[in-house]
Amino acid sequence: MIPIQYYLLFAGFLFSVGLVGVLIRRNAIVVFMCIEIMLNSVNLTFVTFSAYLGDATGQIVVFFVMTVAAAEAAVGLAIIISLFRNKQTLNINEINLLKW
Amino acid sequence: MVSMYQFIGLIPLFPLIGFLINGLLGSKIKSEKIIGSISVLAVSLSFLVSTFIFFEMINLPTEERLKIVTLFSWINVGSINVDISYQIDQLSILMTLIITGVGSLIHIYATGYMHGDSGYWRFFAYLNLFIFTMLNLVLADNFLLMFLGWEGVGLCSYLLIGFWYDRDFENSTTSVAAKKAFIVNRIGDFGFLIAMFLIVQEFGSLQFLSVFSQASVIPSGDKILTAITLLLFLGATGKSAQIPLFVWLPDAMAGPTPVSALIHAATMVTAGVYLLARSSTMFILAPITMDVVAVIGICTAVFAGTIALVQNDIKKILAYSTLSQLGFMFLACGVGAFSVGVFHLMTHAFFKALLFLGAGAIIHSLHHEQNIQKMGGLKKYLPKTAATFFIAAFAISGIPPLSGFFSKDEILWKAFSSGSIWLWLFGIIGACLTAFYIFRLVTLVFNGEERFDEDLHPKEVPSAMTIPLIILAVLSAIGGLIGIPHFLGGSNKFEEFLEPIFKRANYQLPIAHDEIFMEYLLMSISVALAVGGILFARHLYLKDNSIAEKISKKYNYGYKLLFNKYFVDEFYDKVVVNPIKNFSDSVLWKKLDVKIIDEFINASGRITEYLSSLFVKIQTGVTDTYVLIFVMGVVLILLRMII
C-alpha cells in the first residue's frame, strides 16, 4: 500500500502548480484551468483521507465539489465568451474596468 | 324590546361611509345628483338614528338615561385605558341632534349652492368627514377621543376654508386664511393637550365619568384644578374663537358659505362651549377660571359686536356676530349657568345657520357679491330668503317669542343674579349692539334702493336651498319654546332635561332666588334696548345712509378703529407673527439649520470620504492583484495558525 504522504505531497504539488498558474498566467482560460487543478488537488486530498480513515464522507464532499466545479465551468466559460466578444482579448490585465 | 342605544356606533359610521365613498370614488362619479344624495343620505340617516335614541331616552327614567357603549379598545398602556367608546347622555344626544339635524339641512342646501363647482365631490367628502369627526367630539366618553374629534374638525375646517384654494381672498389667498385658522387653533390645542397631561397625572384616567367623580371631591379653588380648567379654556378659546384667539374666524369666511354656516357658526365653533359644559364639574370648582371665562365671554361679546357695526362684507358681519354670540354662551358658562349656555348654543345654531344660508342665497343670486353697500332692495327679488332672514334677524335680536329671546334673556338674567351688575350691563349693551348690526345688515340688503349692477337680475334661489331656509326659520321661531323659564309660566323642559348633567355643577352654585319682579324688569329693559337698536338701525339706513355717513365722519377716529377691527390683526402681526418669522428666518434657518445641522450631516459624509480615500488604491480592477492579496492573506492566516 502506498503511504499517505505521497498522496498528500502530490496533492500539495498540484495545488501549488495551480496557484502559481493563477498568479502568473494572463490568459483567462489558462487561469480558469489552473483553478480547476487546485480544486482537483483538494478533491484528491479528500479521497485520500476518506480511504485511509475508512469514512465515506470525504468522497461525498468530492461529488459536491465536482458538481459545483462543473456548474462553475459552465458559467465561467460563458463569461469568458462574452468577455471575448466585447474586448477581443482574453488577457485579464486588460479586463480591468471594475475599479474606483 | 331592542334598545336603540347599542346602535350608537351607526351615527358616526354613516358619515364616515359617505366620506369614504365620495372621497375615494368621487372623482369617478360624474353625476352631481349621486354625490349629493350619498352625502345627504349619510347625514340624514345619522339624524334618524339619533332621533330614535333621543325618543328612547326621554321615555327612560332619568337615572337610566346615561349609558356608555364601548366599540373597541384603543390604547392600553400601563394604567391608562382609552377606548373608542361613546357616552350617551342628555348633553351628547342633544349635540348629536343639532349636528346631524342642522347638518342635514345644510347638506341639502349645499347640493344647490355648490351646483356646477369643479370640486363638488371633494366638498361633500370633506363635509361628511367633518360630521364624522364632530360626532366623535361630542359622543366621546373620554378626553382623548374627544381630542381626536377636536383635531379632526380643525382639519376639516382647514380643508374647507381653503376649499377654493386658487381664489383670492382679501389681498392674499384662501389658503393663507386656512393656514391662519389651523395655526391659531393649534395654540388652543396646546392648552387642551397640557390639560390632558395634567388630568392623567392627577386622576390617572381620561374617562369623563371617572375624572369628574374624582374631581368632585376636591375642595373648591384647588391649584391643579384651576390650572387644568384654565388650560381647557385656552383650548376652548381657540376652537370657539374667543379673545385672544378669535382672529381666525373672520378669515374663515373665505370658505364656501354652507361651510361658514355649518362649521363656523352652528357646530364646530360651539365645541368650546360643549367642552366647558362637559367639564362643568371641574370648572365649577375653580372660581378663578369661572371669572376668567365670564369676563372673556362678555368682552368678546361686546368687542365683536362693535366691530360688526361697521363692516360691509355680509359674511364678515355674520362672523363677528358669531363671535359675539359665542361670547354670550361663555358668559353663561362663566356664571355657572351651563344649561343656559347650551340652550343658547342650540338656538344660535338654528338662527345663525339660517342667517348664513340666507347670506349664501343672496351671494349666490348676486354672483358672488358680498358687499352690503352694493345690495339693497332685494326683498322683492328674493321673497322667501328675505322672509326667513327677517325671522332669523328678529330671533338673534332677542324679540319675543322667537328662540333667541329666551336663551339670551336667560343668560342676562343669570349674569345679573350671579351678583355682578357689570356682567349684566355689558350683556345688554352686547344685546343692543346685536339688534343694531343685524338690522343694519337686513335694511341695507333687503330695503332701500337697488345699488347692485343693473345687469345682475337677481332671482330666487332653487328649492333645494329655500326648503332648508324655511325649516330653519321654523326652528328659529319656535325653538325657544322648549326653554320658557318658570316665571313666564313655562316649564323650562330644556333645563329639566339637562339637569342631571349639571347636577354636580348646580349643587355648587349659590341658589338664585327667583325674584319675579326683577326678572320682568330686566327682561323689559333688554327687550326695549333690542327694539331700540332695531328702530335706530331702520332709522339710519332705511331711506339712505346719509345720516350714518355723517355720524361716521363726525367720529372718524372711532369709525376707523372699528372698521379696521381694532387693528388686532396688525397688532398680532407686529408682536407675534413677524418676530417669530424673523427669528425663524435669521436664527433657526440661516444659523441653526444651515450652519449647525447641515454641517453635522456634511461632516459625517466628508469623514467617510477621507477614510475611503486611504484605501481606494487597492481596488485596481486587475484580477492578478486581487488574487495575490488574497493568497497573501491566506498564507498569513495559515502562518498564524501554525506558529
Side-chain angles (χ1 to χ4, degrees):
Chain A
M1 196 170 172
I2 305 167
I4 187 168
Q5 293 92 326
Y6 291 103
Y7 290 100
L8 293 182
L9 280 173
F10 180 58
F13 173 71
L14 269 184
F15 190 85
S16 306
V17 169
L19 185 60
V20 172
V22 169
L23 285 175
I24 63 170
R25 296 305 296 258
R26 295 282 168 272
N27 189 309
I29 294 178
V30 178
V31 170
F32 201 65
M33 283 159 61
C34 292
I35 293 172
E36 291 296 317
I37 290 174
M38 287 161 78
L39 281 173
N40 279 309
S41 74
V42 175
N43 280 351
L44 183 60
T45 325
F46 271 124
V47 178
T48 310
F49 278 114
S50 175
Y52 271 84
L53 298 172
D55 183 351
T57 319
Q59 300 187 25
I60 294 168
V61 176
V62 170
F63 280 114
F64 277 102
V65 173
M66 282 162 71
T67 319
V68 173
E72 179 232 326
V75 175
L77 285 171
I79 291 174
I80 286 169
I81 289 168
S82 76
L83 268 179
F84 187 76
R85 279 185 186 159
N86 280 303
K87 302 206 72 160
Q88 273 75 44
T89 175
L90 284 177
N91 187 335
I92 51 171
N93 280 2
E94 287 173 31
I95 306 165
N96 59 356
L97 285 174
L98 264 177
K99 59 180 175 185
W100 53 276
Chain B
M1 197 189 125
V2 188
S3 167
M4 282 306 292
Y5 273 47
Q6 56 187 305
F7 297 116
I8 186 78
L10 288 179
I11 297 180
L13 182 68
F14 286 126
L16 181 62
I17 294 174
F19 160 66
L20 290 176
I21 295 177
N22 277 341
L24 296 174
L25 310 170
S27 55
K28 304 279 184 298
I29 306 173
K30 290 285 176 278
S31 154
E32 286 189 356
K33 280 218 174 66
I34 296 174
I35 293 170
S37 322
I38 291 170
S39 195
V40 170
L41 194 71
V43 185
S44 24
L45 281 175
S46 292
F47 179 59
L48 202 68
V49 178
S50 353
T51 329
F52 281 135
I53 294 179
F54 173 71
F55 280 112
E56 186 181 325
M57 180 184 285
I58 53 175
N59 285 324
L60 286 171
T62 315
E63 57 275 14
E64 285 172 29
R65 288 183 178 174
L66 169 71
K67 207 164 271 179
I68 286 176
V69 178
T70 303
L71 296 187
F72 48 88
S73 176
W74 181 22
I75 294 171
N76 198 340
V77 185
S79 59
I80 304 286
N81 279 313
V82 181
D83 295 336
I84 301 284
S85 59
Y86 295 136
Q87 176 169 345
I88 314 166
D89 61 14
Q90 290 88 337
L91 183 59
S92 66
I93 198 72
L94 182 82
M95 291 299 290
T96 309
L97 282 175
I98 296 172
I99 292 159
T100 53
V102 176
S104 310
L105 293 173
I106 292 172
H107 272 69
I108 296 169
Y109 175 92
T111 56
Y113 188 85
M114 298 304 288
H115 173 70
D117 195 286
S118 57
Y120 199 82
W121 62 275
R122 201 157 52 88
F123 182 80
F124 280 98
Y126 291 164
L127 223 51
N128 270 178
L129 180 65
F130 166 74
I131 298 278
F132 167 70
T133 49
M134 186 74 200
L135 287 169
N136 271 307
L137 197 166
V138 297
L139 284 171
D141 90 321
N142 55 65
F143 279 104
L144 199 58
L145 183 57
M146 186 185 188
F147 188 69
L148 192 75
W150 189 272
E151 292 297 302
V153 292
L155 169 71
C156 295
S157 166
Y158 165 79
L159 292 171
L160 285 163
I161 295 169
F163 180 74
W164 287 319
Y165 50 82
D166 47 356
R167 285 196 196 175
D168 286 343
F169 177 74
E170 292 187 349
N171 311 328
S172 58
T173 57
T174 59
S175 22
V176 173
K179 225 158 48 184
K180 186 173 173 184
F182 200 72
I183 292 168
V184 174
N185 262 298
R186 195 91 302 105
I187 300 171
D189 297 342
F190 162 77
F192 196 149
L193 263 179
I194 304 287
M196 276 204 292
F197 296 154
L198 284 177
I199 288 170
V200 171
Q201 193 191 32
E202 194 66 11
F203 304 112
S205 170
L206 284 168
Q207 251 225 328
F208 289 144
L209 291 180
S210 149
V211 170
F212 297 151
S213 68
Q214 287 180 62
S216 61
V217 295
I218 293 177
S220 174
D222 183 76
K223 280 207 188 85
I224 297 280
L225 214 52
T226 310
I228 291 174
T229 47
L230 275 175
L231 287 165
L232 281 179
F233 181 59
L234 177 62
T237 54
K239 191 72 50 193
S240 293
Q242 296 295 293
I243 293 173
L245 298 178
F246 67 94
V247 286
W248 66 271
L249 187 62
D251 284 15
M253 297 302 127
T257 310
V259 171
S260 310
L262 179 63
I263 301 183
H264 304 119
T267 55
M268 184 190 86
V269 289
T270 60
V273 181
Y274 171 78
L275 175 65
L276 259 64
R278 180 54 84 198
S279 322
S280 57
T281 321
M282 292 200 288
F283 276 87
I284 208 79
L285 292 169
I288 298 171
T289 315
M290 292 296 271
D291 290 346
V292 172
V293 173
V295 170
I296 294 272
I298 192 69
C299 286
T300 313
V302 176
F303 179 81
T306 53
I307 297 176
L309 294 178
V310 297
Q311 298 302 310
N312 284 329
D313 184 318
I314 185 168
K315 287 179 74 181
K316 274 275 159 79
I317 299 174
L318 293 177
Y320 281 106
S321 158
T322 306
L323 289 181
S324 168
Q325 299 304 313
L326 288 165
F328 276 112
M329 296 175 211
F330 279 106
L331 170 64
C333 293
V335 300
F338 293 99
S339 74
V340 184
V342 177
F343 185 35
H344 196 57
L345 187 164
M346 184 189 80
T347 56
H348 174 258
F350 296 150
F351 56 67
K352 188 49 68 61
L354 176 53
L355 285 172
F356 263 114
L357 295 187
I362 295 160
I363 294 166
H364 192 72
S365 64
L366 289 177
H367 300 279
H368 296 285
E369 178 56 64
Q370 300 199 4
N371 189 341
I372 55 171
Q373 302 292 358
K374 293 183 181 164
M375 296 178 184
L378 284 171
K379 198 163 65 177
K380 66 176 179 223
Y381 299 105
L382 307 167
K384 286 178 191 159
T385 309
T388 52
F389 209 93
F390 267 97
I391 293 174
F394 278 117
I396 194 176
S397 311
I399 299 299
L402 301 172
S403 58
F405 163 71
F406 294 106
S407 52
K408 190 180 287 179
D409 203 61
E410 192 75 0
I411 291 176
L412 293 175
W413 167 242
K414 294 284 182 191
F416 182 82
S417 62
S418 75
S420 170
I421 187 92
W422 291 106
L423 290 180
W424 175 79
L425 203 63
F426 281 108
I428 55 167
I429 291 174
C432 182
L433 291 173
T434 309
F436 180 82
Y437 67 65
I438 205 74
F439 271 88
R440 169 177 176 267
L441 187 159
V442 166
T443 314
L444 283 173
V445 170
F446 290 110
N447 301 101
E449 57 191 273
E450 301 168 8
R451 295 182 299 275
F452 48 84
D453 284 344
E454 275 173 16
D455 48 351
L456 272 178
H457 306 298
K459 54 176 190 291
E460 188 61 285
V461 289
S463 59
M465 288 161 76
T466 52
I467 290 171
L469 289 179
I470 293 165
I471 299 174
L472 281 170
V474 172
L475 287 172
S476 306
I478 62 165
L481 298 180
I482 54 167
I484 302 176
H486 292 287
F487 79 99
L488 283 176
S491 53
N492 212 341
K493 284 251 165 34
F494 189 85
E495 201 180 336
E496 200 183 295
F497 178 67
L498 284 180
E499 205 268 339
I501 304 285
F502 303 120
K503 203 163 49 193
R504 285 211 187 95
N506 289 339
Y507 174 72
Q508 299 282 345
L509 271 186
I511 299 152
H513 297 286
D514 281 15
E515 297 158 77
I516 293 182
F517 172 72
M518 276 309 277
E519 288 205 30
Y520 271 115
L521 180 70
L522 296 181
M523 194 180 77
S524 325
I525 293 174
S526 70
V527 172
L529 276 173
V531 173
I534 293 172
L535 292 178
F536 189 50
R538 298 297 279 184
H539 170 70
L540 282 186
Y541 297 101
L542 194 53
K543 290 271 154 47
D544 53 81
N545 43 14
S546 58
I547 317 169
E549 262 168 30
K550 253 182 227 151
I551 296 175
S552 68
K553 287 260 163 58
K554 196 171 167 196
Y555 301 101
N556 193 22
Y557 184 71
Y559 177 78
K560 281 264 162 60
L561 190 67
L562 291 183
F563 189 76
N564 291 301
K565 306 137 195 167
Y566 295 99
F567 297 99
V568 172
D569 274 329
E570 287 78 1
F571 175 74
Y572 281 180
D573 273 351
K574 275 242 158 58
V575 175
V576 183
V577 180
N578 287 338
I580 290 180
K581 269 188 184 163
N582 290 337
F583 180 73
S584 310
D585 183 86
S586 57
V587 178
L588 291 181
W589 172 27
K590 284 175 183 157
K591 294 264 159 31
L592 188 68
D593 210 35
V594 175
K595 292 266 161 66
I596 297 177
I597 296 177
D598 285 6
E599 282 306 302
F600 259 109
I601 309 293
N602 291 343
S604 72
R606 260 182 241 126
I607 289 169
T608 314
E609 217 169 46
Y610 171 72
L611 286 178
S612 62
S613 73
L614 297 179
F615 301 100
V616 75
K617 298 288 177 200
I618 299 171
Q619 195 181 6
T620 55
V622 181
T623 328
D624 272 8
T625 328
Y626 298 160
V627 176
L628 191 64
I629 292 168
F630 173 68
V631 171
M632 276 158 57
V634 172
V635 170
L636 274 177
I637 292 171
L638 283 176
L639 282 177
R640 182 83 185 74
M641 281 165 75
I642 292 165
I643 297 166

